[in-house]
Amino acid sequence: MSAAAETPAAGADAPAKPEPAHGWRLFTIWLVLALAADLLIWFFLYPHLPPGRMSTSAKHQQFDIAVLMISAAPVIIAVWLYFGYAIVVWRARPGDDTDGPPIHGHTGVQATWIIGTSAIVLWLFVFGTVELIGPAGAGAGEGPSPIWKLAGTQTANWAPGGNDMLQVQVIGQQWTWSYRYPQFGGMESTQLFLPVDTPVTFHVTSLDVIHSFWAYQLGVKADANPAVDNVAYTTAKQMGSFVVRCNELCGIWHGAMFNYGQVVSQSAFAAWARGVQAQEQANGVLATLPPFSLTYDPTVIPQLGKALTNIVQVTGAPGYYYGPANPVQP
Ligand SMILES: [Cu+2]
């Protein structure tokens, strides 16, 4: 930037000033801004990021978003800083019609660029892989035979207090969800109750078109395809309610295909599940349901004519859901 010195007129007025160390200046300003932005993100934004911390998968997703923001902020700050610095410091002064000095290459800048971008890409690759394997698929649908498993004991009957894995089959149909608990005699309910601190395996499937099971606060999302067993894992860490939505446009009442699930204590869950099981045993519904199956025939159920509800009031759906007319509350 010694253009002024090369012009005879300007050179006559004042001696050429030495160029300031632009690189170090930029680096110092960038370091301060990037550090400030990353600290703000970590301490103020991170705790409020979706989807919250209700389950292991939700926690991991929140952490992932925070780490990606922390990785991205220094990059965008570098771009904006260079942009602003160039406009302020390197703009042409009034009356200056000279060209800048020709540039033929700069090993330092080129090496920094290649090393910097390679490091960023490799970091994202390693971080993403670790965060996918660590929480056993991060709450997403892993297909019928996942390559990882959550730690937990496989049992035929679920009991509180141990580390039993809870199996829940999630069945989508136009336009409602039902949930089957194979470890409780295969009882089914339109209410999704889960015990806290329990590894859960969801088996997501559909009776008709493609739906998508999205338990927002649990950080679980898995496609529901007919005749496909799509497995997703999570462990709820906090009690409370969460939203279940269909996340795949599945027909005219897709928007109404949601309800609320509950994470309750292990003993409350066991009491609720046994209660529903007993009720369905008594009214004969349970006997018609196989213990565990990937395929369902919803038309069989209404023929029983017992304790079944035709959902017309909300969805207008011609279908039926399984489960008791008066669900047992925990
Ligand atoms: Cu749907």
Side-chain angles (χ1 to χ4, degrees), residues 116-191:
T117 48
S118 304
I120 291 169
V121 170
L122 281 174
W123 153 246
L124 292 177
F125 166 71
V126 171
F127 178 72
T129 307
V130 168
E131 282 296 284
L132 186 65
I133 296 170
E142 303 299 309
S145 44
I147 55 175
W148 31 61
K149 298 254 183 298
L150 271 193
T153 323
Q154 303 281 352
T155 53
N157 297 296
W158 188 89
N163 194 33
D164 291 2
M165 185 91 96
L166 180 73
Q167 309 269 346
V168 182
Q169 188 160 31
V170 178
I171 305 144
Q173 62 179 301
Q174 288 170 322
W175 287 273
T176 192
W177 297 106
S178 36
Y179 309 98
R180 147 175 284 212
Y181 295 81
Q183 288 149 312
F184 291 86
M187 70 86 169
E188 295 186 2
S189 170
T190 51
Q191 296 182 302

Side-chain angles (χ1 to χ4, degrees), residues 173 175 177 209-212 246-250 254 257:
Q173 62 179 301
W175 287 273
W177 297 106
V209 300
I210 300 172
H211 303 272
S212 180
C246 180
N247 193 52
E248 183 71 54
L249 184 57
C250 59
H254 162 70
M257 193 169 163

